[in-house]
Amino acid sequence: MDTRTRLVEQLVVEPGQAVGIADRDPAWTGGPEAAALAEDELEQRAKDALTSGIEELSDAQELLWASDRYAVLVVLQAMDAAGKDSAIEHVMSGVNPQGVQVFSFKKPSSEELDHNFLWRPSKALPERGRIGIFNRSHYEEVVALKVHPEWLEPQRLPPGDRDERFWHEPASQASASGNMNCSTTLDSAIAAIDTRPHAPHER
């Protein structure tokens, strides 16, 4: 098995497969093969792999644009200073910038607060033939607000208890009342975006 295949097996989660975060080592740096290399050798291998990947990505972007049938959505969700901006800068350096759009989701505007929390990522989705990158995403609304429930106050949500049931309320129940809110679970949030009508295939 070559290095690339091993890396893909370690990092890629296939559709329908559990992520298994508990089984993933955050200190993993490429396995024993990488650990055996001198620092300058490892750096050169990384540069070579990046160069090769950028060339492949550039070719794939041409096909994506020419077909005008699919869109690609890249979602980067990580803690501050985790390298999201650097990843965008390095990985996307070889693609045509006219075919890429990057959105950073920061504090919601007053207009965004007048809509459900999926409105702003939904309207930022890339059109067919383009690559969209979300620097943070709707996950922020699901995770960060549970840590900081006081951030819910400006969102003008319907009255009610903000108990455990609130945080696990299914998207279908919330949307049925016309008030889908940030209590939607991660799976429901993803499903809500994936099943919207007339959407390009971002997967």
Side-chain angles (χ1 to χ4, degrees):
M1 182 185 300
D2 60 23
T3 302
R4 179 170 182 164
T5 302
R6 286 194 300 99
L7 290 174
V8 168
E9 284 193 354
Q10 176 70 23
L11 300 174
V12 173
V13 179
E14 298 291 342
Q17 178 185 350
V19 177
I21 293 178
D23 298 326
R24 297 178 182 272
D25 181 7
W28 185 79
T29 57
E33 180 183 340
L37 295 174
E39 185 175 345
D40 57 340
E41 289 181 293
L42 183 60
E43 183 177 355
Q44 187 58 52
R45 281 207 184 186
K47 288 180 179 179
D48 292 344
L50 182 60
T51 300
S52 174
I54 287 173
E55 291 174 356
E56 290 183 32
L57 185 59
S58 180
D59 292 340
Q61 185 192 22
E62 288 288 336
L63 293 174
L64 179 71
W65 174 83
S67 70
D68 196 28
R69 186 173 298 273
Y70 300 101
V72 173
L73 177 62
V74 179
V75 179
L76 300 177
Q77 185 70 35
M79 298 175 64
D80 290 341
K84 298 184 295 298
D85 293 326
S86 295
I88 295 171
E89 177 184 352
H90 291 293
V91 176
M92 307 305 292
S93 60
V95 302
N96 186 339
Q98 297 183 57
V100 180
Q101 54 201 55
V102 180
F103 288 93
S104 297
F105 296 104
K106 303 185 184 298
K107 182 179 179 180
S109 66
S110 58
E111 179 186 22
E112 290 167 343
L113 288 174
D114 277 333
H115 295 79
N116 68 60
F117 82 102
L118 290 175
W119 181 75
R120 63 175 182 166
S122 293
K123 71 186 184 76
L125 289 170
E127 59 265 36
R128 292 176 175 86
R130 292 173 64 86
I131 300 172
I133 301 175
F134 284 2
N135 190 341
R136 298 190 183 278
S137 69
H138 57 282
Y139 291 107
E140 204 76 8
E141 290 291 308
V142 182
V143 178
L145 290 177
K146 192 166 186 180
V147 178
H148 297 280
E150 68 275 11
W151 292 356
L152 287 169
E153 294 308 316
Q155 301 210 8
R156 300 189 288 277
L157 299 177
D161 295 331
R162 308 301 188 224
D163 52 16
E164 196 63 26
R165 181 179 178 183
F166 168 82
W167 293 107
H168 292 283
E169 181 182 19
S172 57
Q173 294 179 16
S175 59
S177 64
N179 292 308
M180 185 185 293
N181 57 44
C182 61
S183 64
T184 309
T185 63
L186 285 175
D187 289 341
S188 299
I190 294 169
I193 285 185
D194 283 349
T195 58
R196 69 192 184 289
H198 310 300
H201 299 282
E202 293 87 8
R203 285 182 258 181

